[in-house]
Amino acid sequence: MNEKICITKEYMSNDHISETLMEKWCDWQWQVKNTIRKVETVEMILGITFSDSQKFDIERTLAQFPMAISPYYLSLVDIHNYDNDPIFKQCFPSVLELNISPCDMSDPLHEEVDSPAPCITHRYPDRVLFHVSNVCGMYCRHCTRKRKVGDLDSIPSKESLLQGIEYIKNTPVIRDVLLSGGDPFLLSDTMIDWLLKEITAIDHVEVVRIGTRTPVVLPFRITDELVSILKKYDNIWLNTHFNHSREMTTEAGAALKKLKLAGIPLGNQSVLLKGINDCTYIMKDLLHKLILNGVRPYYLYQCDLSEGLEHFRTNIGTGIEIMENLRGHTSGFAIPTYVIDAPGGGGKIPVMPNYLVSWSSNKVVLRNYEGVITTYQMPINDNTSSCDLNCEACHLQRNHDTPCKQYQSIGIAKLLCDYEEDYTLIPEKLLRHSRRE
Ligand SMILES: *Cc1c(COP(=O)(O)O)cnc(C)c1O
Ligand code: SF4
C-alpha cells in the first residue's frame, strides 16, 4: 500500500499513529503532494468498491470536473454512511454534475466580464476581488468557479499579478482588496508575503481581506511561519468557508486559534447546499461552532447558477425559513446575511423575511420573531433637514481631518438623496421609450 493510503487509514482508524507518521500527516506540503485525484484511491481509503456502472459515471464526471481531496479532508468522511455524508458530498464527484440546466452559466457572476485588468474583478465602487491563485486544498464540488479552479491554463503568472497590482495602484477609489482564487494560501509563504507587501504599501488601500478554505480542508497550512507573515501587516481580515459543523475538528479549531491569537478578525462564508446543510438545526449547529471558535458568520450564499450545481441548489424559501429561525432565536452576531449573488454581475443581494408590516407618516408597524406586532412612533417634530452636501455648513460634525473623498452617489442611494436631480432609474432597453422616436 502506498504511504498516502497507509497514513490516512491509520489516522482514520483512531489507532495509535506513530510520531513520524503524524509528523508527515501534519505537514501541509505532504498533504498537498498526496492530494487524492483517483477514484481507486478513495475506494482503498474508505474500503468501498464502486460498481462498474458507478465507476463509469464517476469517470465521466471527472473528465469534466476533476477531483482533488486532501487526505485530511477525506479522513473526515464517515465510512459507514459515506453516501449521505456532508463531507463526502462536498468533495466526491456526483454524476448529477453533468446535468447542465438551461439556466446554468459558466461565469454567472460575470467575474471575467467585469475585469478591467488581469486577475481583477472590479464590481463595487470601492473594492476589488484579486484572483491571486488558481489552486485549492480541495476542489469543492459546489465551487462557483468550477470551470476555472485547477485549470492549469489559468494559473496567474507573476506578470499578470503585477498588472493587477498596477491597476489597484492606479485606481484611488479602491480601499479594500480581497485576495481570492482559487485559494491564496496555496501560494508559498514568500509569494504571500510579497503580495501583502505590495498591496499594503499602496496608500489608498485601507484593508486587505483573504478568502481561504484552508482552515477547513488543510488546517496544517496555518503554520506559525505563515501567521508571523500575516502579523506583519496592519489590517488583514480573513474569511473562511465552513459549511457543516462536522468540519470543525480539533485541527481546524487549532488553526483558527492561531489566527485569532495573531489578532486577525475571522469571518465565515457558507453556501446553502441541498442535502448538506439546508436545515435550520444543522445551520444553527454550524453557526454556534463558529462562534465557539471565534469566527463571525458573515454570509450565507444561495448556491450560484454555475454549470453542474443544479443538484446543490435549494429553494430560496428554504433559505428564508432558515433565516426566520435564526433572528431572535440565537445571538444576533451568530447570524450571517443570506445573499443571492445576482447572475450577470449584479453583486450580492440580501434576502430575508420581512419585518416591516406597514407604515404611515408618523408610525411604522413591525413584527418580531415571535409574531408580536408592534409599532414605532416617528419623532413628533421631525425637522430632519435635507442634505445639500455642504458639510462645512452642516450642524453635524463630519470629521474633516480625514480627507473628503470625491463623493459620487449611485443606484438607489442616489434616488434617495436630496442633492441629486435624478428621480428614476430607467432600464436601458425600455420598450415604451423606443416608441417615442
Ligand atoms: C463578494 C464580492 C466582493 C465583496 O463584497 P462584500 O459585500 O464587501 O463582502 C467584492 N467584489 C466582488 C466581485 C465580489 O464578488
Ligand atoms: S476552496 Fe473555494 S475556490 Fe477552491 S474549490 Fe472550494 S469553493 Fe472553489
Side-chain angles (χ1 to χ4, degrees), residues 57 67-68 102 219 226 254 370 372:
D57 279 345
M67 165 172 86
L226 176 63
E370 300 166 302
V372 170

Side-chain angles (χ1 to χ4, degrees), residues 185 210 212 214-215 219 221-224 226-228 230-231 236 238-240 252-266 293-295:
F185 279 178
I210 299 171
T212 175
T214 53
R221 176 62 185 105
I222 312 301
T223 59
D224 295 341
L226 176 63
V227 171
S228 69
L230 301 176
K231 245 173 125 165
I236 311 269
L238 191 144
N239 261 322
T240 184
L256 294 170
K257 186 150 192 190
K258 277 190 197 178
L259 293 164
K260 194 174 76 161
L261 291 178
I264 299 166
L266 303 175
N293 286 275
V295 182

Side-chain angles (χ1 to χ4, degrees), residues 72-137:
Y72 162 79
Y73 196 76
L74 190 70
S75 80
L76 306 182
V77 171
D78 172 9
I79 43 177
H80 304 296
N81 188 19
Y82 71 91
D83 232 7
N84 194 28
D85 184 273
I87 306 283
F88 189 77
K89 284 181 178 173
Q90 287 184 69
C91 66
F92 194 78
S94 155
V95 71
L96 296 174
E97 292 169 37
L98 299 180
N99 296 341
I100 308 290
S101 127
C103 57
D104 288 356
M105 296 171 250
S106 71
D107 177 26
L109 309 180
H110 279 193
E111 289 186 328
E112 284 154 59
V113 182
D114 284 338
S115 177
C119 313
I120 297 273
T121 304
H122 192 172
R123 168 160 310 141
Y124 295 105
D126 65 344
R127 53 209 188 279
V128 291
L129 209 58
F130 192 9
H131 306 264
V132 295
S133 151
N134 186 50
V135 281
C136 290

